[in-house]
Amino acid sequence: QLQLVESGGGSVQAGGSLRLSCAVFGYTDADYCLGWFRQAPGKEREGVADIDSGSVTTYADSVKGRFTISKDNAKNTVYLKMNSLKPEDTAMYYCAADYGWRCRLSTYVDSSNYKYWGQGTQVTVSS
């Protein structure tokens, strides 16, 4: 059983930056995937980025070149650095995790690869 706690959301003007953090509790020494997803009001959840235990990453086309996913193994924390933010990035951002390598079998950030989810942190970008 994993518990995920996100932090770092907030309000920022277009063009600004934020860094989201997700602390993972209950982790054991095994292969894993860590991902970030977002959901705006009235829209479906969208996969933003993920990273596996080998540090292989996948990004949604909408964030490539602007967002960077990274992890700190010593702190059991995954980060999402968001630069050049746009109003369309406004959403609730969720961290997700699961054991295994299923995320590497996908060519996109697929929520079906994840079993454990955080409560979310709000990101609001104003124009």
mmCIF file of all heavy atoms in Angstrom, residues 2-4 22-25 27 30-37 48-58 69-73 75-80 94-104 109-110 113-114 116:
data_model
loop_
_atom_site.group_PDB
_atom_site.id
_atom_site.type_symbol
_atom_site.label_atom_id
_atom_site.label_comp_id
_atom_site.label_asym_id
_atom_site.label_seq_id
_atom_site.Cartn_x
_atom_site.Cartn_y
_atom_site.Cartn_z
ATOM 1 N N LEU A 2 0.631 2.141 -0.951
ATOM 2 C CA LEU A 2 1.385 3.384 -1.027
ATOM 3 C C LEU A 2 0.465 4.558 -0.725
ATOM 4 O O LEU A 2 -0.709 4.553 -1.076
ATOM 5 C CB LEU A 2 1.969 3.571 -2.430
ATOM 6 C CG LEU A 2 2.979 2.522 -2.919
ATOM 7 C CD1 LEU A 2 3.399 2.814 -4.341
ATOM 8 C CD2 LEU A 2 4.186 2.464 -2.001
ATOM 9 N N GLN A 3 1.021 5.566 -0.077
ATOM 10 C CA GLN A 3 0.304 6.819 0.135
ATOM 11 C C GLN A 3 1.085 7.934 -0.538
ATOM 12 O O GLN A 3 2.315 7.988 -0.419
ATOM 13 C CB GLN A 3 0.146 7.116 1.623
ATOM 14 C CG GLN A 3 -0.890 6.231 2.307
ATOM 15 C CD GLN A 3 -1.142 6.669 3.737
ATOM 16 O OE1 GLN A 3 -0.220 6.757 4.522
ATOM 17 N NE2 GLN A 3 -2.394 6.931 4.049
ATOM 18 N N LEU A 4 0.362 8.807 -1.221
ATOM 19 C CA LEU A 4 1.009 9.889 -1.953
ATOM 20 C C LEU A 4 0.450 11.226 -1.469
ATOM 21 O O LEU A 4 -0.768 11.384 -1.346
ATOM 22 C CB LEU A 4 0.743 9.747 -3.455
ATOM 23 C CG LEU A 4 1.456 8.613 -4.200
ATOM 24 C CD1 LEU A 4 0.884 7.247 -3.835
ATOM 25 C CD2 LEU A 4 1.379 8.829 -5.686
ATOM 26 N N CYS A 22 5.631 15.390 -4.798
ATOM 27 C CA CYS A 22 4.774 14.286 -4.354
ATOM 28 C C CYS A 22 5.616 13.343 -3.527
ATOM 29 O O CYS A 22 6.527 12.686 -4.048
ATOM 30 C CB CYS A 22 4.168 13.570 -5.551
ATOM 31 S SG CYS A 22 3.234 12.090 -5.127
ATOM 32 N N ALA A 23 5.331 13.292 -2.240
ATOM 33 C CA ALA A 23 6.023 12.379 -1.341
ATOM 34 C C ALA A 23 5.305 11.036 -1.341
ATOM 35 O O ALA A 23 4.076 10.985 -1.220
ATOM 36 C CB ALA A 23 6.067 12.956 0.065
ATOM 37 N N VAL A 24 6.068 9.956 -1.483
ATOM 38 C CA VAL A 24 5.517 8.608 -1.563
ATOM 39 C C VAL A 24 5.849 7.873 -0.271
ATOM 40 O O VAL A 24 7.029 7.715 0.069
ATOM 41 C CB VAL A 24 6.082 7.845 -2.770
ATOM 42 C CG1 VAL A 24 5.453 6.460 -2.865
ATOM 43 C CG2 VAL A 24 5.843 8.634 -4.050
ATOM 44 N N PHE A 25 4.834 7.419 0.438
ATOM 45 C CA PHE A 25 5.002 6.713 1.702
ATOM 46 C C PHE A 25 4.615 5.248 1.545
ATOM 47 O O PHE A 25 3.684 4.917 0.824
ATOM 48 C CB PHE A 25 4.141 7.351 2.786
ATOM 49 C CG PHE A 25 4.480 8.785 3.058
ATOM 50 C CD1 PHE A 25 3.778 9.804 2.426
ATOM 51 C CD2 PHE A 25 5.506 9.115 3.923
ATOM 52 C CE1 PHE A 25 4.089 11.132 2.656
ATOM 53 C CE2 PHE A 25 5.826 10.438 4.161
ATOM 54 C CZ PHE A 25 5.124 11.449 3.524
ATOM 55 N N TYR A 27 6.719 2.903 0.460
ATOM 56 C CA TYR A 27 7.421 2.307 -0.676
ATOM 57 C C TYR A 27 8.401 1.213 -0.223
ATOM 58 O O TYR A 27 9.086 1.368 0.774
ATOM 59 C CB TYR A 27 8.186 3.389 -1.422
ATOM 60 C CG TYR A 27 9.158 2.857 -2.440
ATOM 61 C CD1 TYR A 27 8.704 2.290 -3.622
ATOM 62 C CD2 TYR A 27 10.533 2.904 -2.222
ATOM 63 C CE1 TYR A 27 9.578 1.788 -4.553
ATOM 64 C CE2 TYR A 27 11.418 2.404 -3.148
ATOM 65 C CZ TYR A 27 10.938 1.849 -4.313
ATOM 66 O OH TYR A 27 11.820 1.346 -5.232
ATOM 67 N N ALA A 30 11.470 -1.896 -4.965
ATOM 68 C CA ALA A 30 10.970 -2.623 -6.122
ATOM 69 C C ALA A 30 10.889 -1.672 -7.307
ATOM 70 O O ALA A 30 10.973 -0.455 -7.142
ATOM 71 C CB ALA A 30 9.595 -3.205 -5.830
ATOM 72 N N ASP A 31 10.735 -2.213 -8.507
ATOM 73 C CA ASP A 31 10.537 -1.382 -9.686
ATOM 74 C C ASP A 31 9.190 -0.678 -9.594
ATOM 75 O O ASP A 31 8.231 -1.207 -9.041
ATOM 76 C CB ASP A 31 10.593 -2.235 -10.954
ATOM 77 C CG ASP A 31 11.966 -2.829 -11.191
ATOM 78 O OD1 ASP A 31 12.961 -2.153 -10.871
ATOM 79 O OD2 ASP A 31 12.044 -3.966 -11.685
ATOM 80 N N TYR A 32 9.119 0.520 -10.161
ATOM 81 C CA TYR A 32 7.902 1.306 -10.013
ATOM 82 C C TYR A 32 7.754 2.308 -11.157
ATOM 83 O O TYR A 32 8.704 2.565 -11.900
ATOM 84 C CB TYR A 32 7.920 2.080 -8.689
ATOM 85 C CG TYR A 32 9.128 2.990 -8.581
ATOM 86 C CD1 TYR A 32 9.133 4.248 -9.164
ATOM 87 C CD2 TYR A 32 10.273 2.561 -7.932
ATOM 88 C CE1 TYR A 32 10.252 5.064 -9.100
ATOM 89 C CE2 TYR A 32 11.394 3.367 -7.872
ATOM 90 C CZ TYR A 32 11.383 4.617 -8.444
ATOM 91 O OH TYR A 32 12.490 5.413 -8.383
ATOM 92 N N CYS A 33 6.570 2.854 -11.258
ATOM 93 C CA CYS A 33 6.279 3.983 -12.137
ATOM 94 C C CYS A 33 5.655 5.091 -11.292
ATOM 95 O O CYS A 33 4.851 4.808 -10.400
ATOM 96 C CB CYS A 33 5.300 3.593 -13.242
ATOM 97 S SG CYS A 33 5.955 2.469 -14.476
ATOM 98 N N LEU A 34 6.025 6.308 -11.582
ATOM 99 C CA LEU A 34 5.465 7.489 -10.916
ATOM 100 C C LEU A 34 4.965 8.441 -11.994
ATOM 101 O O LEU A 34 5.672 8.688 -12.969
ATOM 102 C CB LEU A 34 6.528 8.193 -10.077
ATOM 103 C CG LEU A 34 7.153 7.379 -8.951
ATOM 104 C CD1 LEU A 34 8.387 8.091 -8.406
ATOM 105 C CD2 LEU A 34 6.144 7.156 -7.841
ATOM 106 N N GLY A 35 3.771 8.961 -11.811
ATOM 107 C CA GLY A 35 3.198 9.815 -12.842
ATOM 108 C C GLY A 35 2.498 11.042 -12.305
ATOM 109 O O GLY A 35 2.134 11.088 -11.130
ATOM 110 N N TRP A 36 2.332 12.020 -13.177
ATOM 111 C CA TRP A 36 1.530 13.206 -12.890
ATOM 112 C C TRP A 36 0.394 13.287 -13.892
ATOM 113 O O TRP A 36 0.613 13.116 -15.101
ATOM 114 C CB TRP A 36 2.375 14.479 -12.978
ATOM 115 C CG TRP A 36 3.307 14.684 -11.826
ATOM 116 C CD1 TRP A 36 4.633 14.378 -11.767
ATOM 117 C CD2 TRP A 36 2.966 15.242 -10.551
ATOM 118 N NE1 TRP A 36 5.146 14.718 -10.545
ATOM 119 C CE2 TRP A 36 4.138 15.251 -9.776
ATOM 120 C CE3 TRP A 36 1.796 15.745 -9.990
ATOM 121 C CZ2 TRP A 36 4.176 15.741 -8.466
ATOM 122 C CZ3 TRP A 36 1.828 16.225 -8.700
ATOM 123 C CH2 TRP A 36 3.007 16.221 -7.953
ATOM 124 N N PHE A 37 -0.792 13.566 -13.363
ATOM 125 C CA PHE A 37 -1.981 13.713 -14.178
ATOM 126 C C PHE A 37 -2.656 15.023 -13.802
ATOM 127 O O PHE A 37 -2.371 15.596 -12.752
ATOM 128 C CB PHE A 37 -2.946 12.538 -13.933
ATOM 129 C CG PHE A 37 -2.379 11.220 -14.380
ATOM 130 C CD1 PHE A 37 -1.456 10.537 -13.595
ATOM 131 C CD2 PHE A 37 -2.754 10.664 -15.584
ATOM 132 C CE1 PHE A 37 -0.912 9.339 -14.012
ATOM 133 C CE2 PHE A 37 -2.222 9.455 -16.014
ATOM 134 C CZ PHE A 37 -1.304 8.799 -15.219
ATOM 135 N N VAL A 48 0.116 13.724 -17.816
ATOM 136 C CA VAL A 48 1.055 14.812 -18.077
ATOM 137 C C VAL A 48 2.473 14.274 -18.289
ATOM 138 O O VAL A 48 3.121 14.598 -19.283
ATOM 139 C CB VAL A 48 1.049 15.814 -16.906
ATOM 140 C CG1 VAL A 48 2.103 16.899 -17.120
ATOM 141 C CG2 VAL A 48 -0.332 16.434 -16.736
ATOM 142 N N ALA A 49 2.946 13.468 -17.353
ATOM 143 C CA ALA A 49 4.312 12.939 -17.450
ATOM 144 C C ALA A 49 4.438 11.749 -16.521
ATOM 145 O O ALA A 49 3.723 11.657 -15.517
ATOM 146 C CB ALA A 49 5.331 14.011 -17.069
ATOM 147 N N ASP A 50 5.330 10.840 -16.849
ATOM 148 C CA ASP A 50 5.670 9.799 -15.893
ATOM 149 C C ASP A 50 7.134 9.420 -16.008
ATOM 150 O O ASP A 50 7.834 9.790 -16.952
ATOM 151 C CB ASP A 50 4.716 8.594 -15.951
ATOM 152 C CG ASP A 50 4.788 7.784 -17.237
ATOM 153 O OD1 ASP A 50 5.737 7.951 -18.023
ATOM 154 O OD2 ASP A 50 3.863 6.965 -17.443
ATOM 155 N N ILE A 51 7.582 8.696 -14.981
ATOM 156 C CA ILE A 51 8.981 8.311 -14.884
ATOM 157 C C ILE A 51 9.047 6.953 -14.214
ATOM 158 O O ILE A 51 8.276 6.669 -13.288
ATOM 159 C CB ILE A 51 9.774 9.383 -14.087
ATOM 160 C CG1 ILE A 51 11.270 9.083 -14.092
ATOM 161 C CG2 ILE A 51 9.258 9.522 -12.648
ATOM 162 C CD1 ILE A 51 12.110 10.258 -13.571
ATOM 163 N N ASP A 52 9.931 6.095 -14.685
ATOM 164 C CA ASP A 52 10.042 4.777 -14.058
ATOM 165 C C ASP A 52 11.299 4.724 -13.191
ATOM 166 O O ASP A 52 12.044 5.692 -13.093
ATOM 167 C CB ASP A 52 9.995 3.671 -15.101
ATOM 168 C CG ASP A 52 11.202 3.661 -16.031
ATOM 169 O OD1 ASP A 52 12.262 4.202 -15.675
ATOM 170 O OD2 ASP A 52 11.068 3.097 -17.134
ATOM 171 N N SER A 53 11.506 3.575 -12.572
ATOM 172 C CA SER A 53 12.622 3.463 -11.636
ATOM 173 C C SER A 53 13.968 3.553 -12.338
ATOM 174 O O SER A 53 14.997 3.785 -11.693
ATOM 175 C CB SER A 53 12.511 2.166 -10.833
ATOM 176 O OG SER A 53 12.281 1.055 -11.666
ATOM 177 N N GLY A 54 13.976 3.405 -13.667
ATOM 178 C CA GLY A 54 15.200 3.600 -14.436
ATOM 179 C C GLY A 54 15.348 5.012 -14.962
ATOM 180 O O GLY A 54 16.226 5.297 -15.778
ATOM 181 N N SER A 55 14.435 5.899 -14.529
ATOM 182 C CA SER A 55 14.428 7.318 -14.907
ATOM 183 C C SER A 55 14.068 7.557 -16.363
ATOM 184 O O SER A 55 14.391 8.613 -16.922
ATOM 185 C CB SER A 55 15.762 8.001 -14.582
ATOM 186 O OG SER A 55 15.986 7.999 -13.185
ATOM 187 N N VAL A 56 13.411 6.584 -16.995
ATOM 188 C CA VAL A 56 12.885 6.804 -18.345
ATOM 189 C C VAL A 56 11.595 7.604 -18.217
ATOM 190 O O VAL A 56 10.740 7.270 -17.402
ATOM 191 C CB VAL A 56 12.630 5.467 -19.056
ATOM 192 C CG1 VAL A 56 12.003 5.709 -20.427
ATOM 193 C CG2 VAL A 56 13.934 4.692 -19.196
ATOM 194 N N THR A 57 11.456 8.644 -19.027
ATOM 195 C CA THR A 57 10.315 9.552 -18.900
ATOM 196 C C THR A 57 9.447 9.565 -20.150
ATOM 197 O O THR A 57 9.904 9.258 -21.258
ATOM 198 C CB THR A 57 10.795 10.989 -18.625
ATOM 199 O OG1 THR A 57 11.650 11.400 -19.708
ATOM 200 C CG2 THR A 57 11.574 11.070 -17.320
ATOM 201 N N THR A 58 8.199 9.913 -19.950
ATOM 202 C CA THR A 58 7.251 10.123 -21.039
ATOM 203 C C THR A 58 6.492 11.404 -20.739
ATOM 204 O O THR A 58 6.152 11.668 -19.577
ATOM 205 C CB THR A 58 6.251 8.958 -21.146
ATOM 206 O OG1 THR A 58 6.973 7.738 -21.353
ATOM 207 C CG2 THR A 58 5.288 9.160 -22.303
ATOM 208 N N ILE A 69 9.709 16.104 -15.353
ATOM 209 C CA ILE A 69 9.470 15.212 -14.228
ATOM 210 C C ILE A 69 10.814 14.678 -13.752
ATOM 211 O O ILE A 69 11.700 14.385 -14.562
ATOM 212 C CB ILE A 69 8.510 14.070 -14.603
ATOM 213 C CG1 ILE A 69 8.111 13.259 -13.365
ATOM 214 C CG2 ILE A 69 9.096 13.177 -15.680
ATOM 215 C CD1 ILE A 69 6.986 12.255 -13.616
ATOM 216 N N SER A 70 10.963 14.588 -12.443
ATOM 217 C CA SER A 70 12.204 14.062 -11.871
ATOM 218 C C SER A 70 11.878 13.401 -10.540
ATOM 219 O O SER A 70 10.767 13.547 -10.021
ATOM 220 C CB SER A 70 13.238 15.167 -11.682
ATOM 221 O OG SER A 70 12.765 16.142 -10.768
ATOM 222 N N LYS A 71 12.841 12.683 -9.991
ATOM 223 C CA LYS A 71 12.607 12.028 -8.708
ATOM 224 C C LYS A 71 13.863 12.057 -7.870
ATOM 225 O O LYS A 71 14.972 12.116 -8.403
ATOM 226 C CB LYS A 71 12.131 10.579 -8.930
ATOM 227 C CG LYS A 71 13.103 9.700 -9.707
ATOM 228 C CD LYS A 71 12.488 8.340 -9.975
ATOM 229 C CE LYS A 71 13.403 7.465 -10.821
ATOM 230 N NZ LYS A 71 14.616 7.054 -10.120
ATOM 231 N N ASP A 72 13.648 12.008 -6.580
ATOM 232 C CA ASP A 72 14.732 11.929 -5.605
ATOM 233 C C ASP A 72 14.522 10.627 -4.844
ATOM 234 O O ASP A 72 13.633 10.544 -3.984
ATOM 235 C CB ASP A 72 14.694 13.144 -4.679
ATOM 236 C CG ASP A 72 15.873 13.177 -3.713
ATOM 237 O OD1 ASP A 72 16.362 12.089 -3.329
ATOM 238 O OD2 ASP A 72 16.284 14.286 -3.337
ATOM 239 N N ASN A 73 15.307 9.630 -5.166
ATOM 240 C CA ASN A 73 15.114 8.311 -4.555
ATOM 241 C C ASN A 73 15.334 8.344 -3.041
ATOM 242 O O ASN A 73 14.653 7.658 -2.289
ATOM 243 C CB ASN A 73 16.058 7.298 -5.195
ATOM 244 C CG ASN A 73 15.720 7.040 -6.643
ATOM 245 O OD1 ASN A 73 14.572 7.171 -7.064
ATOM 246 N ND2 ASN A 73 16.718 6.679 -7.429
ATOM 247 N N LYS A 75 14.634 10.654 -1.013
ATOM 248 C CA LYS A 75 13.491 11.281 -0.338
ATOM 249 C C LYS A 75 12.165 10.631 -0.728
ATOM 250 O O LYS A 75 11.107 11.073 -0.261
ATOM 251 C CB LYS A 75 13.441 12.770 -0.686
ATOM 252 C CG LYS A 75 14.636 13.560 -0.160
ATOM 253 C CD LYS A 75 14.501 15.038 -0.508
ATOM 254 C CE LYS A 75 15.670 15.828 0.032
ATOM 255 N NZ LYS A 75 15.566 17.263 -0.304
ATOM 256 N N ASN A 76 12.192 9.631 -1.601
ATOM 257 C CA ASN A 76 10.954 9.008 -2.100
ATOM 258 C C ASN A 76 9.972 10.075 -2.571
ATOM 259 O O ASN A 76 8.787 10.074 -2.204
ATOM 260 C CB ASN A 76 10.305 8.131 -1.023
ATOM 261 C CG ASN A 76 11.040 6.828 -0.823
ATOM 262 O OD1 ASN A 76 11.816 6.401 -1.665
ATOM 263 N ND2 ASN A 76 10.809 6.192 0.310
ATOM 264 N N THR A 77 10.481 10.977 -3.380
ATOM 265 C CA THR A 77 9.683 12.106 -3.840
ATOM 266 C C THR A 77 9.824 12.258 -5.349
ATOM 267 O O THR A 77 10.926 12.111 -5.890
ATOM 268 C CB THR A 77 10.126 13.399 -3.137
ATOM 269 O OG1 THR A 77 9.924 13.245 -1.726
ATOM 270 C CG2 THR A 77 9.326 14.596 -3.621
ATOM 271 N N VAL A 78 8.720 12.559 -5.997
ATOM 272 C CA VAL A 78 8.722 12.856 -7.421
ATOM 273 C C VAL A 78 8.294 14.307 -7.608
ATOM 274 O O VAL A 78 7.453 14.815 -6.858
ATOM 275 C CB VAL A 78 7.802 11.890 -8.201
ATOM 276 C CG1 VAL A 78 6.361 11.966 -7.735
ATOM 277 C CG2 VAL A 78 7.905 12.123 -9.703
ATOM 278 N N TYR A 79 8.910 14.963 -8.569
ATOM 279 C CA TYR A 79 8.673 16.380 -8.804
ATOM 280 C C TYR A 79 8.139 16.613 -10.216
ATOM 281 O O TYR A 79 8.396 15.825 -11.127
ATOM 282 C CB TYR A 79 9.967 17.173 -8.644
ATOM 283 C CG TYR A 79 10.637 16.993 -7.308
ATOM 284 C CD1 TYR A 79 11.684 16.094 -7.147
ATOM 285 C CD2 TYR A 79 10.214 17.723 -6.195
ATOM 286 C CE1 TYR A 79 12.310 15.927 -5.925
ATOM 287 C CE2 TYR A 79 10.835 17.564 -4.967
ATOM 288 C CZ TYR A 79 11.880 16.668 -4.842
ATOM 289 O OH TYR A 79 12.469 16.504 -3.623
ATOM 290 N N LEU A 80 7.434 17.713 -10.370
ATOM 291 C CA LEU A 80 7.035 18.173 -11.692
ATOM 292 C C LEU A 80 7.365 19.665 -11.752
ATOM 293 O O LEU A 80 6.695 20.478 -11.121
ATOM 294 C CB LEU A 80 5.552 17.949 -11.961
ATOM 295 C CG LEU A 80 5.100 18.309 -13.379
ATOM 296 C CD1 LEU A 80 5.703 17.318 -14.386
ATOM 297 C CD2 LEU A 80 3.573 18.296 -13.493
ATOM 298 N N TYR A 94 -2.620 15.633 -10.039
ATOM 299 C CA TYR A 94 -2.568 14.455 -9.201
ATOM 300 C C TYR A 94 -1.284 13.673 -9.451
ATOM 301 O O TYR A 94 -0.859 13.504 -10.593
ATOM 302 C CB TYR A 94 -3.749 13.534 -9.495
ATOM 303 C CG TYR A 94 -5.096 14.137 -9.215
ATOM 304 C CD1 TYR A 94 -5.791 14.823 -10.203
ATOM 305 C CD2 TYR A 94 -5.681 14.016 -7.962
ATOM 306 C CE1 TYR A 94 -7.031 15.379 -9.950
ATOM 307 C CE2 TYR A 94 -6.928 14.564 -7.701
ATOM 308 C CZ TYR A 94 -7.588 15.248 -8.704
ATOM 309 O OH TYR A 94 -8.816 15.798 -8.447
ATOM 310 N N CYS A 95 -0.739 13.157 -8.375
ATOM 311 C CA CYS A 95 0.401 12.265 -8.443
ATOM 312 C C CYS A 95 -0.127 10.831 -8.391
ATOM 313 O O CYS A 95 -1.124 10.554 -7.703
ATOM 314 C CB CYS A 95 1.301 12.558 -7.249
ATOM 315 S SG CYS A 95 2.684 11.468 -7.048
ATOM 316 N N ALA A 96 0.526 9.932 -9.099
ATOM 317 C CA ALA A 96 0.105 8.535 -9.101
ATOM 318 C C ALA A 96 1.335 7.639 -9.082
ATOM 319 O O ALA A 96 2.414 8.041 -9.541
ATOM 320 C CB ALA A 96 -0.749 8.234 -10.323
ATOM 321 N N ALA A 97 1.152 6.415 -8.577
ATOM 322 C CA ALA A 97 2.270 5.483 -8.481
ATOM 323 C C ALA A 97 1.773 4.052 -8.586
ATOM 324 O O ALA A 97 0.610 3.748 -8.303
ATOM 325 C CB ALA A 97 3.013 5.674 -7.147
ATOM 326 N N ASP A 98 2.647 3.191 -9.004
ATOM 327 C CA ASP A 98 2.379 1.757 -8.952
ATOM 328 C C ASP A 98 3.677 1.007 -9.117
ATOM 329 O O ASP A 98 4.652 1.532 -9.687
ATOM 330 C CB ASP A 98 1.384 1.336 -10.030
ATOM 331 C CG ASP A 98 0.632 0.073 -9.642
ATOM 332 O OD1 ASP A 98 0.959 -0.530 -8.578
ATOM 333 O OD2 ASP A 98 -0.276 -0.327 -10.380
ATOM 334 N N TYR A 99 3.692 -0.197 -8.633
ATOM 335 C CA TYR A 99 4.855 -1.053 -8.788
ATOM 336 C C TYR A 99 4.859 -1.648 -10.196
ATOM 337 O O TYR A 99 3.824 -1.821 -10.823
ATOM 338 C CB TYR A 99 4.830 -2.176 -7.757
ATOM 339 C CG TYR A 99 5.066 -1.696 -6.349
ATOM 340 C CD1 TYR A 99 4.042 -1.672 -5.415
ATOM 341 C CD2 TYR A 99 6.328 -1.254 -5.951
ATOM 342 C CE1 TYR A 99 4.268 -1.238 -4.120
ATOM 343 C CE2 TYR A 99 6.558 -0.815 -4.663
ATOM 344 C CZ TYR A 99 5.525 -0.806 -3.739
ATOM 345 O OH TYR A 99 5.748 -0.371 -2.473
ATOM 346 N N GLY A 100 6.062 -2.008 -10.632
ATOM 347 C CA GLY A 100 6.176 -2.670 -11.923
ATOM 348 C C GLY A 100 6.638 -1.758 -13.033
ATOM 349 O O GLY A 100 7.044 -0.615 -12.807
ATOM 350 N N TRP A 101 6.527 -2.275 -14.271
ATOM 351 C CA TRP A 101 7.040 -1.581 -15.450
ATOM 352 C C TRP A 101 5.958 -1.296 -16.494
ATOM 353 O O TRP A 101 6.254 -0.993 -17.639
ATOM 354 C CB TRP A 101 8.119 -2.435 -16.126
ATOM 355 C CG TRP A 101 9.368 -2.535 -15.342
ATOM 356 C CD1 TRP A 101 9.694 -3.495 -14.431
ATOM 357 C CD2 TRP A 101 10.480 -1.642 -15.378
ATOM 358 N NE1 TRP A 101 10.940 -3.255 -13.910
ATOM 359 C CE2 TRP A 101 11.442 -2.136 -14.476
ATOM 360 C CE3 TRP A 101 10.745 -0.484 -16.111
ATOM 361 C CZ2 TRP A 101 12.666 -1.475 -14.269
ATOM 362 C CZ3 TRP A 101 11.964 0.154 -15.910
ATOM 363 C CH2 TRP A 101 12.903 -0.339 -14.996
ATOM 364 N N ARG A 102 4.701 -1.371 -16.079
ATOM 365 C CA ARG A 102 3.649 -1.227 -17.084
ATOM 366 C C ARG A 102 3.714 0.111 -17.790
ATOM 367 O O ARG A 102 3.370 0.216 -18.977
ATOM 368 C CB ARG A 102 2.271 -1.403 -16.436
ATOM 369 C CG ARG A 102 1.948 -2.858 -16.118
ATOM 370 C CD ARG A 102 0.523 -2.993 -15.621
ATOM 371 N NE ARG A 102 0.297 -2.218 -14.428
ATOM 372 C CZ ARG A 102 -0.898 -1.987 -13.912
ATOM 373 N NH1 ARG A 102 -1.975 -2.451 -14.508
ATOM 374 N NH2 ARG A 102 -1.012 -1.286 -12.800
ATOM 375 N N CYS A 103 4.158 1.144 -17.092
ATOM 376 C CA CYS A 103 4.202 2.464 -17.722
ATOM 377 C C CYS A 103 5.131 2.468 -18.933
ATOM 378 O O CYS A 103 4.935 3.241 -19.879
ATOM 379 C CB CYS A 103 4.614 3.539 -16.725
ATOM 380 S SG CYS A 103 6.237 3.322 -15.991
ATOM 381 N N ARG A 104 6.140 1.583 -18.922
ATOM 382 C CA ARG A 104 7.089 1.550 -20.047
ATOM 383 C C ARG A 104 6.505 0.839 -21.274
ATOM 384 O O ARG A 104 7.083 0.886 -22.351
ATOM 385 C CB ARG A 104 8.392 0.879 -19.650
ATOM 386 C CG ARG A 104 9.207 1.689 -18.701
ATOM 387 C CD ARG A 104 9.908 2.854 -19.377
ATOM 388 N NE ARG A 104 9.044 3.856 -19.966
ATOM 389 C CZ ARG A 104 8.456 4.809 -19.272
ATOM 390 N NH1 ARG A 104 8.592 4.870 -17.972
ATOM 391 N NH2 ARG A 104 7.688 5.696 -19.875
ATOM 392 N N VAL A 109 1.133 8.687 -21.346
ATOM 393 C CA VAL A 109 0.971 8.601 -19.897
ATOM 394 C C VAL A 109 -0.441 8.108 -19.619
ATOM 395 O O VAL A 109 -1.408 8.868 -19.720
ATOM 396 C CB VAL A 109 1.231 9.975 -19.239
ATOM 397 C CG1 VAL A 109 1.193 9.848 -17.724
ATOM 398 C CG2 VAL A 109 2.600 10.513 -19.676
ATOM 399 N N ASP A 110 -0.543 6.859 -19.278
ATOM 400 C CA ASP A 110 -1.806 6.145 -19.204
ATOM 401 C C ASP A 110 -2.229 5.911 -17.756
ATOM 402 O O ASP A 110 -1.532 5.225 -17.005
ATOM 403 C CB ASP A 110 -1.653 4.802 -19.932
ATOM 404 C CG ASP A 110 -2.937 4.028 -20.036
ATOM 405 O OD1 ASP A 110 -3.962 4.482 -19.497
ATOM 406 O OD2 ASP A 110 -2.917 2.953 -20.665
ATOM 407 N N ASN A 113 -2.285 2.471 -15.846
ATOM 408 C CA ASN A 113 -1.060 1.870 -15.327
ATOM 409 C C ASN A 113 -0.835 2.166 -13.852
ATOM 410 O O ASN A 113 0.165 1.742 -13.286
ATOM 411 C CB ASN A 113 0.150 2.378 -16.115
ATOM 412 C CG ASN A 113 0.180 1.854 -17.527
ATOM 413 O OD1 ASN A 113 -0.287 0.748 -17.795
ATOM 414 N ND2 ASN A 113 0.707 2.647 -18.451
ATOM 415 N N TYR A 114 -1.747 2.913 -13.234
ATOM 416 C CA TYR A 114 -1.523 3.386 -11.871
ATOM 417 C C TYR A 114 -2.629 2.965 -10.924
ATOM 418 O O TYR A 114 -3.812 3.102 -11.226
ATOM 419 C CB TYR A 114 -1.370 4.911 -11.868
ATOM 420 C CG TYR A 114 -0.118 5.327 -12.589
ATOM 421 C CD1 TYR A 114 -0.134 5.575 -13.956
ATOM 422 C CD2 TYR A 114 1.097 5.403 -11.909
ATOM 423 C CE1 TYR A 114 1.039 5.896 -14.621
ATOM 424 C CE2 TYR A 114 2.257 5.730 -12.566
ATOM 425 C CZ TYR A 114 2.216 5.979 -13.934
ATOM 426 O OH TYR A 114 3.379 6.292 -14.588
ATOM 427 N N TYR A 116 -2.246 3.708 -7.286
ATOM 428 C CA TYR A 116 -2.252 4.577 -6.106
ATOM 429 C C TYR A 116 -2.260 6.043 -6.544
ATOM 430 O O TYR A 116 -1.494 6.444 -7.429
ATOM 431 C CB TYR A 116 -1.031 4.296 -5.226
ATOM 432 C CG TYR A 116 -0.939 2.861 -4.792
ATOM 433 C CD1 TYR A 116 -0.082 1.972 -5.444
ATOM 434 C CD2 TYR A 116 -1.717 2.377 -3.737
ATOM 435 C CE1 TYR A 116 -0.013 0.643 -5.063
ATOM 436 C CE2 TYR A 116 -1.647 1.059 -3.344
ATOM 437 C CZ TYR A 116 -0.799 0.192 -4.008
ATOM 438 O OH TYR A 116 -0.729 -1.114 -3.625
#
